[in-house]
Amino acid sequence: MASGDGRPPDGGDGGSEPDYRFTLANERTFLAWIRTALALIAGAVAVLHLVPLDWRPGVRMAVGLALTALAAAITVYAPLRWMRVQRAMRHGLPLPVSALPVVTTVGVAVVCAAILLGNYWR
């Protein structure tokens, strides 16, 4: 099945088929990002609905929304990254640099800071 611009959905726009091990490694990385997004969503649900935290409602909502926003960003960016890496491997190009690890790290650090502040700011 081709995308709207005639390319296969796996990002293969010509080039040579990469070694299957690299393709599978790329897929495992993609799935790891999706698992990370699911874990962040689970954390958001826990903060918003399950864990009895003695926080102000605004802090609880901010942490839950931050976790959800980070999960959404990862969910949108992960398949784009997968396709860019697949395309680079097909054409023998250097792998593209990804902002996803930095965005995730900064997002988790901000959430950690909000959780620490939420425990002390009642």
Side-chain angles (χ1 to χ4, degrees):
M1 185 170 121
S3 62
D5 58 4
R7 291 184 310 192
D10 66 353
D13 52 356
S16 62
E17 185 68 25
D19 186 322
Y20 72 92
R21 293 172 291 184
F22 299 128
T23 299
L24 293 174
N26 189 29
E27 184 177 331
R28 283 191 303 274
T29 302
F30 165 75
L31 293 172
W33 282 115
I34 297 301
R35 283 191 303 273
T36 300
L38 285 170
L40 291 168
I41 292 169
V45 169
V47 166
L48 292 172
H49 301 290
L50 301 176
V51 179
L53 300 170
D54 187 26
W55 291 354
R56 292 178 180 227
V59 175
R60 177 183 285 208
M61 183 63 73
V63 169
L65 289 177
L67 289 169
T68 303
L70 188 56
I74 290 171
T75 301
V76 168
Y77 191 73
L80 298 175
R81 181 188 183 282
W82 174 77
M83 286 187 292
R84 287 176 60 209
V85 168
Q86 197 68 17
R87 192 172 297 122
M89 288 190 306
R90 286 182 181 280
H91 291 283
L93 299 171
L95 296 181
V97 177
S98 174
L100 199 53
V102 174
V103 169
T104 304
T105 301
V106 170
V108 169
V110 167
V111 168
C112 287
I115 289 170
L116 288 174
L117 291 174
N119 284 326
Y120 293 108
W121 183 40
R122 296 181 188 184

